[in-house]
Amino acid sequence: GSSCVRLVERHRSAWCFGFLVLGYLLYLVFGAVVFSSVELPYEDLLRQELRKLKRRFLEEHECLSEQQLEQFLGRVLEASNYGVSVLSNASGNWNWDFTSALFFASTVLSTTGYGHTVPLSDGGKAFCIIYSVIGIPFTLLFLTAVVQRITVHVTRRPVLYFHIRWGFSKQVVAIVHAVLLGFVTVSCFFFIPAAVFSVLEDDWNFLESFYFCFISLSTIGLGDYVPGEGYNQKFRELYKIGITCYLLLGLIAMLVVLETFCELHELKKFRKMFYVKKDKDEDQVHIIEHDQLSFSSITDQAAGMKEDQKQNEPFVATQSSACVDGPANH
């Protein structure tokens, strides 16, 4: 029993990592089971409804064959995948004007990618690849720099101020601050925008608007809800620019909150359970090598100083050597 306990303690990080992988796989399976059980009945009802509608349409239009109808519907669905619709009540605005292209560029660089608008030409697809290869690391660098600067003023300085000025425990202040910051962020970037979207978008309720905010700011970007695509949308250009700014600011706010929670002592301690621990022998080797380099540099420096001193004082050195040799000869 004691040997098993020592074995577990020695490989504790590996055991924790194994349980982490197992838990993640189980969580994936759990999500698949829930989504399948909830969404599969609705998919079956929709399929039955479409079959009935298709059969009724062919009965009312006998001059049209089923093959011709499927070819037409296939072409319409293909165009719909590129953001082009043939419906009379669809938006008459272009998908690639400047504001729409700006919105598309922001979704590409933030890796949200709604998928409602995609490049049509080969040149556009090639440019999208090159633009993303350069732009995504550039965006990560930009967001990292912005979040680091904001975190200093929003998180670290307030926590340190309350800790020094009022004498509260730093860990307690950090937890309370993280909770308050998360509440403010959820209110300003989820609840309030969801209420605004539910008013501006005719077909959205509050739940659907909140769903869009979460899917967007978490960079999931399913594309089933995209604002500004309604029929006769008022001030569409300004609306698209506002949504682009909202997505960028909301993404920065989300990263600041995540960074604030990651700096909590409890979470740091929890994360270290799954990390690979450094071997003590490797640490000792690094320390010995560092000490040897430091000692060699000190000895070399001392030897160099002695040589410089001898070169600068030749007369003293000669006189002292003569005084020593004189008594020895006598």
Side-chain angles (χ1 to χ4, degrees), residues 98-122:
F98 177 76
T99 54
S100 299
L102 180 64
F103 180 71
F104 172 78
S106 66
T107 59
V108 169
L109 296 183
S110 62
T111 66
T112 303
Y114 292 112
H116 69 294
T117 302
V118 294
L120 300 176
S121 61
D122 294 336

PDB file of all heavy atoms in Angstrom, residues 98-122:
ATOM      1  N   PHE A  98     -18.210  47.957 -49.117  1.00  0.00           N
ATOM      2  CA  PHE A  98     -17.093  48.192 -48.192  1.00  0.00           C
ATOM      3  C   PHE A  98     -17.432  47.784 -46.770  1.00  0.00           C
ATOM      4  O   PHE A  98     -16.631  47.119 -46.097  1.00  0.00           O
ATOM      5  CB  PHE A  98     -16.686  49.669 -48.228  1.00  0.00           C
ATOM      6  CG  PHE A  98     -15.587  50.003 -47.254  1.00  0.00           C
ATOM      7  CD1 PHE A  98     -14.277  49.644 -47.512  1.00  0.00           C
ATOM      8  CD2 PHE A  98     -15.874  50.656 -46.063  1.00  0.00           C
ATOM      9  CE1 PHE A  98     -13.261  49.930 -46.617  1.00  0.00           C
ATOM     10  CE2 PHE A  98     -14.873  50.954 -45.157  1.00  0.00           C
ATOM     11  CZ  PHE A  98     -13.561  50.586 -45.431  1.00  0.00           C
ATOM     12  N   THR A  99     -18.609  48.159 -46.289  1.00  0.00           N
ATOM     13  CA  THR A  99     -18.956  47.835 -44.899  1.00  0.00           C
ATOM     14  C   THR A  99     -19.119  46.333 -44.694  1.00  0.00           C
ATOM     15  O   THR A  99     -18.688  45.787 -43.671  1.00  0.00           O
ATOM     16  CB  THR A  99     -20.243  48.563 -44.501  1.00  0.00           C
ATOM     17  OG1 THR A  99     -21.278  48.251 -45.453  1.00  0.00           O
ATOM     18  CG2 THR A  99     -20.028  50.066 -44.473  1.00  0.00           C
ATOM     19  N   SER A 100     -19.714  45.653 -45.667  1.00  0.00           N
ATOM     20  CA  SER A 100     -19.843  44.199 -45.556  1.00  0.00           C
ATOM     21  C   SER A 100     -18.485  43.517 -45.621  1.00  0.00           C
ATOM     22  O   SER A 100     -18.223  42.544 -44.900  1.00  0.00           O
ATOM     23  CB  SER A 100     -20.759  43.666 -46.659  1.00  0.00           C
ATOM     24  OG  SER A 100     -22.051  44.220 -46.563  1.00  0.00           O
ATOM     25  N   ALA A 101     -17.590  44.026 -46.497  1.00  0.00           N
ATOM     26  CA  ALA A 101     -16.246  43.468 -46.575  1.00  0.00           C
ATOM     27  C   ALA A 101     -15.460  43.724 -45.289  1.00  0.00           C
ATOM     28  O   ALA A 101     -14.669  42.879 -44.855  1.00  0.00           O
ATOM     29  CB  ALA A 101     -15.509  44.061 -47.778  1.00  0.00           C
ATOM     30  N   LEU A 102     -15.675  44.898 -44.679  1.00  0.00           N
ATOM     31  CA  LEU A 102     -15.018  45.189 -43.407  1.00  0.00           C
ATOM     32  C   LEU A 102     -15.507  44.243 -42.314  1.00  0.00           C
ATOM     33  O   LEU A 102     -14.709  43.734 -41.515  1.00  0.00           O
ATOM     34  CB  LEU A 102     -15.282  46.642 -43.010  1.00  0.00           C
ATOM     35  CG  LEU A 102     -14.664  47.121 -41.696  1.00  0.00           C
ATOM     36  CD1 LEU A 102     -13.139  47.092 -41.783  1.00  0.00           C
ATOM     37  CD2 LEU A 102     -15.157  48.525 -41.359  1.00  0.00           C
ATOM     38  N   PHE A 103     -16.795  43.990 -42.297  1.00  0.00           N
ATOM     39  CA  PHE A 103     -17.354  43.040 -41.330  1.00  0.00           C
ATOM     40  C   PHE A 103     -16.807  41.634 -41.575  1.00  0.00           C
ATOM     41  O   PHE A 103     -16.463  40.905 -40.629  1.00  0.00           O
ATOM     42  CB  PHE A 103     -18.869  43.057 -41.423  1.00  0.00           C
ATOM     43  CG  PHE A 103     -19.563  42.118 -40.488  1.00  0.00           C
ATOM     44  CD1 PHE A 103     -19.590  42.365 -39.126  1.00  0.00           C
ATOM     45  CD2 PHE A 103     -20.192  40.981 -40.969  1.00  0.00           C
ATOM     46  CE1 PHE A 103     -20.225  41.488 -38.258  1.00  0.00           C
ATOM     47  CE2 PHE A 103     -20.828  40.106 -40.115  1.00  0.00           C
ATOM     48  CZ  PHE A 103     -20.844  40.358 -38.749  1.00  0.00           C
ATOM     49  N   PHE A 104     -16.686  41.253 -42.840  1.00  0.00           N
ATOM     50  CA  PHE A 104     -16.133  39.936 -43.173  1.00  0.00           C
ATOM     51  C   PHE A 104     -14.670  39.833 -42.744  1.00  0.00           C
ATOM     52  O   PHE A 104     -14.241  38.798 -42.193  1.00  0.00           O
ATOM     53  CB  PHE A 104     -16.258  39.687 -44.678  1.00  0.00           C
ATOM     54  CG  PHE A 104     -15.559  38.454 -45.155  1.00  0.00           C
ATOM     55  CD1 PHE A 104     -16.118  37.206 -44.964  1.00  0.00           C
ATOM     56  CD2 PHE A 104     -14.334  38.546 -45.802  1.00  0.00           C
ATOM     57  CE1 PHE A 104     -15.464  36.058 -45.395  1.00  0.00           C
ATOM     58  CE2 PHE A 104     -13.679  37.409 -46.238  1.00  0.00           C
ATOM     59  CZ  PHE A 104     -14.244  36.161 -46.042  1.00  0.00           C
ATOM     60  N   ALA A 105     -13.881  40.892 -42.976  1.00  0.00           N
ATOM     61  CA  ALA A 105     -12.473  40.874 -42.580  1.00  0.00           C
ATOM     62  C   ALA A 105     -12.319  40.739 -41.065  1.00  0.00           C
ATOM     63  O   ALA A 105     -11.430  40.031 -40.577  1.00  0.00           O
ATOM     64  CB  ALA A 105     -11.773  42.133 -43.075  1.00  0.00           C
ATOM     65  N   SER A 106     -13.193  41.408 -40.322  1.00  0.00           N
ATOM     66  CA  SER A 106     -13.118  41.304 -38.855  1.00  0.00           C
ATOM     67  C   SER A 106     -13.459  39.901 -38.378  1.00  0.00           C
ATOM     68  O   SER A 106     -12.842  39.392 -37.433  1.00  0.00           O
ATOM     69  CB  SER A 106     -14.055  42.328 -38.209  1.00  0.00           C
ATOM     70  OG  SER A 106     -15.415  42.017 -38.498  1.00  0.00           O
ATOM     71  N   THR A 107     -14.412  39.240 -39.015  1.00  0.00           N
ATOM     72  CA  THR A 107     -14.747  37.872 -38.625  1.00  0.00           C
ATOM     73  C   THR A 107     -13.653  36.888 -39.008  1.00  0.00           C
ATOM     74  O   THR A 107     -13.447  35.879 -38.320  1.00  0.00           O
ATOM     75  CB  THR A 107     -16.066  37.445 -39.274  1.00  0.00           C
ATOM     76  OG1 THR A 107     -15.960  37.535 -40.702  1.00  0.00           O
ATOM     77  CG2 THR A 107     -17.213  38.329 -38.805  1.00  0.00           C
ATOM     78  N   VAL A 108     -12.930  37.180 -40.083  1.00  0.00           N
ATOM     79  CA  VAL A 108     -11.818  36.305 -40.480  1.00  0.00           C
ATOM     80  C   VAL A 108     -10.657  36.446 -39.508  1.00  0.00           C
ATOM     81  O   VAL A 108     -10.106  35.446 -39.022  1.00  0.00           O
ATOM     82  CB  VAL A 108     -11.374  36.627 -41.915  1.00  0.00           C
ATOM     83  CG1 VAL A 108     -10.068  35.915 -42.245  1.00  0.00           C
ATOM     84  CG2 VAL A 108     -12.442  36.209 -42.907  1.00  0.00           C
ATOM     85  N   LEU A 109     -10.274  37.678 -39.194  1.00  0.00           N
ATOM     86  CA  LEU A 109      -9.114  37.900 -38.331  1.00  0.00           C
ATOM     87  C   LEU A 109      -9.386  37.469 -36.898  1.00  0.00           C
ATOM     88  O   LEU A 109      -8.472  37.031 -36.194  1.00  0.00           O
ATOM     89  CB  LEU A 109      -8.708  39.372 -38.367  1.00  0.00           C
ATOM     90  CG  LEU A 109      -8.224  39.899 -39.713  1.00  0.00           C
ATOM     91  CD1 LEU A 109      -7.774  41.340 -39.597  1.00  0.00           C
ATOM     92  CD2 LEU A 109      -7.096  39.035 -40.266  1.00  0.00           C
ATOM     93  N   SER A 110     -10.625  37.594 -36.440  1.00  0.00           N
ATOM     94  CA  SER A 110     -10.963  37.152 -35.081  1.00  0.00           C
ATOM     95  C   SER A 110     -11.301  35.669 -35.015  1.00  0.00           C
ATOM     96  O   SER A 110     -11.652  35.168 -33.948  1.00  0.00           O
ATOM     97  CB  SER A 110     -12.138  37.975 -34.539  1.00  0.00           C
ATOM     98  OG  SER A 110     -13.293  37.776 -35.346  1.00  0.00           O
ATOM     99  N   THR A 111     -11.226  34.975 -36.149  1.00  0.00           N
ATOM    100  CA  THR A 111     -11.533  33.540 -36.287  1.00  0.00           C
ATOM    101  C   THR A 111     -12.964  33.227 -35.877  1.00  0.00           C
ATOM    102  O   THR A 111     -13.266  32.098 -35.482  1.00  0.00           O
ATOM    103  CB  THR A 111     -10.557  32.666 -35.465  1.00  0.00           C
ATOM    104  OG1 THR A 111     -10.744  32.917 -34.071  1.00  0.00           O
ATOM    105  CG2 THR A 111      -9.118  32.946 -35.841  1.00  0.00           C
ATOM    106  N   THR A 112     -13.859  34.210 -35.961  1.00  0.00           N
ATOM    107  CA  THR A 112     -15.277  33.948 -35.696  1.00  0.00           C
ATOM    108  C   THR A 112     -15.901  33.218 -36.871  1.00  0.00           C
ATOM    109  O   THR A 112     -16.477  32.142 -36.716  1.00  0.00           O
ATOM    110  CB  THR A 112     -16.024  35.256 -35.421  1.00  0.00           C
ATOM    111  OG1 THR A 112     -15.390  35.922 -34.335  1.00  0.00           O
ATOM    112  CG2 THR A 112     -17.472  34.987 -35.077  1.00  0.00           C
ATOM    113  N   GLY A 113     -15.796  33.812 -38.075  1.00  0.00           N
ATOM    114  CA  GLY A 113     -16.184  33.128 -39.296  1.00  0.00           C
ATOM    115  C   GLY A 113     -17.607  32.636 -39.318  1.00  0.00           C
ATOM    116  O   GLY A 113     -17.868  31.443 -39.164  1.00  0.00           O
ATOM    117  N   TYR A 114     -18.572  33.552 -39.516  1.00  0.00           N
ATOM    118  CA  TYR A 114     -19.979  33.149 -39.533  1.00  0.00           C
ATOM    119  C   TYR A 114     -20.304  32.231 -40.706  1.00  0.00           C
ATOM    120  O   TYR A 114     -21.169  31.369 -40.595  1.00  0.00           O
ATOM    121  CB  TYR A 114     -20.876  34.392 -39.596  1.00  0.00           C
ATOM    122  CG  TYR A 114     -20.827  35.228 -38.345  1.00  0.00           C
ATOM    123  CD1 TYR A 114     -20.254  36.482 -38.349  1.00  0.00           C
ATOM    124  CD2 TYR A 114     -21.352  34.758 -37.150  1.00  0.00           C
ATOM    125  CE1 TYR A 114     -20.204  37.255 -37.205  1.00  0.00           C
ATOM    126  CE2 TYR A 114     -21.306  35.515 -35.998  1.00  0.00           C
ATOM    127  CZ  TYR A 114     -20.732  36.762 -36.039  1.00  0.00           C
ATOM    128  OH  TYR A 114     -20.671  37.510 -34.896  1.00  0.00           O
ATOM    129  N   GLY A 115     -19.644  32.418 -41.837  1.00  0.00           N
ATOM    130  CA  GLY A 115     -19.894  31.565 -42.987  1.00  0.00           C
ATOM    131  C   GLY A 115     -21.056  31.993 -43.845  1.00  0.00           C
ATOM    132  O   GLY A 115     -21.382  31.305 -44.817  1.00  0.00           O
ATOM    133  N   HIS A 116     -21.710  33.130 -43.508  1.00  0.00           N
ATOM    134  CA  HIS A 116     -22.841  33.581 -44.321  1.00  0.00           C
ATOM    135  C   HIS A 116     -22.370  34.222 -45.611  1.00  0.00           C
ATOM    136  O   HIS A 116     -23.097  34.244 -46.609  1.00  0.00           O
ATOM    137  CB  HIS A 116     -23.681  34.586 -43.531  1.00  0.00           C
ATOM    138  CG  HIS A 116     -22.998  35.889 -43.294  1.00  0.00           C
ATOM    139  ND1 HIS A 116     -21.877  35.999 -42.495  1.00  0.00           N
ATOM    140  CD2 HIS A 116     -23.249  37.137 -43.763  1.00  0.00           C
ATOM    141  CE1 HIS A 116     -21.480  37.263 -42.481  1.00  0.00           C
ATOM    142  NE2 HIS A 116     -22.294  37.968 -43.226  1.00  0.00           N
ATOM    143  N   THR A 117     -21.150  34.757 -45.617  1.00  0.00           N
ATOM    144  CA  THR A 117     -20.555  35.353 -46.808  1.00  0.00           C
ATOM    145  C   THR A 117     -19.165  34.767 -46.986  1.00  0.00           C
ATOM    146  O   THR A 117     -18.347  34.807 -46.056  1.00  0.00           O
ATOM    147  CB  THR A 117     -20.460  36.881 -46.684  1.00  0.00           C
ATOM    148  OG1 THR A 117     -21.775  37.416 -46.461  1.00  0.00           O
ATOM    149  CG2 THR A 117     -19.889  37.487 -47.950  1.00  0.00           C
ATOM    150  N   VAL A 118     -18.914  34.237 -48.159  1.00  0.00           N
ATOM    151  CA  VAL A 118     -17.627  33.603 -48.444  1.00  0.00           C
ATOM    152  C   VAL A 118     -17.143  34.090 -49.799  1.00  0.00           C
ATOM    153  O   VAL A 118     -17.937  34.542 -50.639  1.00  0.00           O
ATOM    154  CB  VAL A 118     -17.756  32.066 -48.454  1.00  0.00           C
ATOM    155  CG1 VAL A 118     -18.086  31.540 -47.076  1.00  0.00           C
ATOM    156  CG2 VAL A 118     -18.808  31.610 -49.450  1.00  0.00           C
ATOM    157  N   PRO A 119     -15.830  34.036 -50.058  1.00  0.00           N
ATOM    158  CA  PRO A 119     -15.312  34.462 -51.368  1.00  0.00           C
ATOM    159  C   PRO A 119     -15.867  33.596 -52.499  1.00  0.00           C
ATOM    160  O   PRO A 119     -15.947  32.369 -52.385  1.00  0.00           O
ATOM    161  CB  PRO A 119     -13.797  34.301 -51.217  1.00  0.00           C
ATOM    162  CG  PRO A 119     -13.546  34.339 -49.752  1.00  0.00           C
ATOM    163  CD  PRO A 119     -14.751  33.719 -49.121  1.00  0.00           C
ATOM    164  N   LEU A 120     -16.222  34.244 -53.590  1.00  0.00           N
ATOM    165  CA  LEU A 120     -16.786  33.536 -54.745  1.00  0.00           C
ATOM    166  C   LEU A 120     -15.723  33.148 -55.762  1.00  0.00           C
ATOM    167  O   LEU A 120     -15.790  32.078 -56.344  1.00  0.00           O
ATOM    168  CB  LEU A 120     -17.842  34.421 -55.424  1.00  0.00           C
ATOM    169  CG  LEU A 120     -19.043  34.827 -54.564  1.00  0.00           C
ATOM    170  CD1 LEU A 120     -19.941  35.785 -55.341  1.00  0.00           C
ATOM    171  CD2 LEU A 120     -19.822  33.612 -54.118  1.00  0.00           C
ATOM    172  N   SER A 121     -14.744  34.017 -55.968  1.00  0.00           N
ATOM    173  CA  SER A 121     -13.745  33.790 -57.002  1.00  0.00           C
ATOM    174  C   SER A 121     -12.531  33.059 -56.434  1.00  0.00           C
ATOM    175  O   SER A 121     -12.308  33.033 -55.215  1.00  0.00           O
ATOM    176  CB  SER A 121     -13.299  35.126 -57.603  1.00  0.00           C
ATOM    177  OG  SER A 121     -12.702  35.953 -56.616  1.00  0.00           O
ATOM    178  N   ASP A 122     -11.729  32.492 -57.338  1.00  0.00           N
ATOM    179  CA  ASP A 122     -10.495  31.831 -56.922  1.00  0.00           C
ATOM    180  C   ASP A 122      -9.487  32.840 -56.373  1.00  0.00           C
ATOM    181  O   ASP A 122      -8.748  32.532 -55.428  1.00  0.00           O
ATOM    182  CB  ASP A 122      -9.882  31.079 -58.108  1.00  0.00           C
ATOM    183  CG  ASP A 122     -10.763  29.915 -58.555  1.00  0.00           C
ATOM    184  OD1 ASP A 122     -11.559  29.426 -57.720  1.00  0.00           O
ATOM    185  OD2 ASP A 122     -10.657  29.506 -59.727  1.00  0.00           O
TER     186      ASP A 122
END
